[in-house]
Amino acid sequence: MDGLVLHFLPGTITGLVFCLLLTHYCKGQSESVDSLQPIVARVGDDVVLPCQIKPSVDVSAATLEWKRSNLFVLVWRTGADFKRQKDPSYRGRTSLFPDELKHGNVSLKLSDVKLSDKGTYRCYVVEKNREMFVELVVAPGCSPVISLSGMDRDRGGVVLQCESRGWYPEPEVLWLDAEGHLLSAGPPETVRGPDDLYTVSSRVTVDKRHNNSFTCRVQQNNIHQTREAHIHVPDDFLLSSSSSADGIMGRTVPVLPIITGLAVSLAVSIMVILACVFFVWRQNRTKTKKRSRDKAEKE
Ligand SMILES: *[C@@H]1O[C@H](CO)[C@@H](O)[C@H](O)[C@H]1NC(C)=O
Ligand SMILES: *[C@@H]1O[C@H](CO)[C@@H](O)[C@H](O)[C@H]1NC(C)=O
C-alpha cells in the first residue's frame, strides 16, 4: 500500500505524459512546401510536388514532363494529360492543376504515395528547356514512444524502452540525458513490417547517477529526418529501487508499483477529463439559460 501512495502522484504525471505522447502518436507531420526542401510523405498520402516556372508565363500549350529517373510520371502535350506515355506504376495517380498552368505553375499532384515513389523528380518544360528538381521523402518515421519497461535492481535503476515505427530506410536510435550526453544502450532491435517499413526499439538502463529527464532520438541521416520523445522519471522510481538486499541480482523484473501507479493515474486522468466536460457543459447551460432569459426580458 505504501508503494502505491508513494507512486501515486508521480504516476499521475507520468500517466498524463503517456496520454499526451499517445494522442500525438504519428499523426502526419506536414512539412513546409518549399522546392528546396524535400517533400515528406507517408505511405498512402496525397502530395503536391511544387514546380513554379519563373517568370510566370502561360505554359498550358507547352509540352510538360514529370519524370523520376527514367520513368515518365506525367506528360502534358497539346493541352492534355498524355496518359499513354505514363509509366504504369503512376497510372491514375498523377495529375497537374490545369487552371494553374497559365500562371506557370506545373505542380504535380501525386495520390496514394507508395514507398517506391521516393526519389528525385524532374519537372521539365520542353519548349523553354527549363527544369526543376524536387525530392520526395517517403516514410519519415513516427515520433517515438518511451515506456518504463522494468527495473534493474542490481543497479538501482529503471529500464526505459523507446519504440518508433514507420521508417525507411532503417534509422538509428540514441538516448540522451538531461545535459544532452549520450547514454550507452544495447543495440537496437529492428523489425521490418509487411509494408516494408522499419520499426526500431531500444532499451536503456538509467539510475540515480543520471538526472531524471531522458530523450530518445530516432534519426535517419540520408533522408534528414529526426524524431524525439522525452520522459521524466519520477525521483522515487530511481531511489526506491536502490536496495538490492533481496538477492535479485542484475535481473530485470517487471515493476508492479509502476503499473499500479499508471492504472491509478489513468483513472485520475479520466476523472479530470469528465470533470472538465461537466464544467464546460454546465457553463454552456448557464449561458443558454441566461440568453433565453435575456431574450424573454427583451420581449
Ligand atoms: C501551384 O498550384 C498548386 C495547386 O493549386 C498550389 O498548391 C501551389 O501553391 C501553387 N504554387 C504556386 C507557387 O502558386
Ligand atoms: C543535473 O542537472 C543540473 C542542472 O541542469 C546540473 O547542475 C547537475 O550537474 C546535473 N547532475 C548530473 C548528475 O548530471
Side-chain angles (χ1 to χ4, degrees), residues 1 6 23 35 71 74 79 105 109 121 123 126 135 163 175 178 196 202 218 226 230 242 253 268 271 298:
M1 230 34 225
L6 203 70
T23 51
S35 53
L71 298 183
L74 181 139
N105 181 349
K109 181 170 180 196
Y121 286 72
C123 159
V126 178
E135 177 82 16
E163 185 173 301
W175 284 97
D196 281 339
S202 169
V218 184
T226 301
H230 310 280
S242 54
V253 293
V268 170
M271 271 156 58
K298 251 188 229 151

Side-chain angles (χ1 to χ4, degrees), residues 147-152 157-161 203-206 252-253:
S147 52
L148 294 166
S149 85
M151 195 168 264
D152 185 332
V158 295
V159 181
L160 301 177
Q161 164 147 343
R203 282 165 176 240
V204 71
T205 304
V206 297
T252 301
V253 293

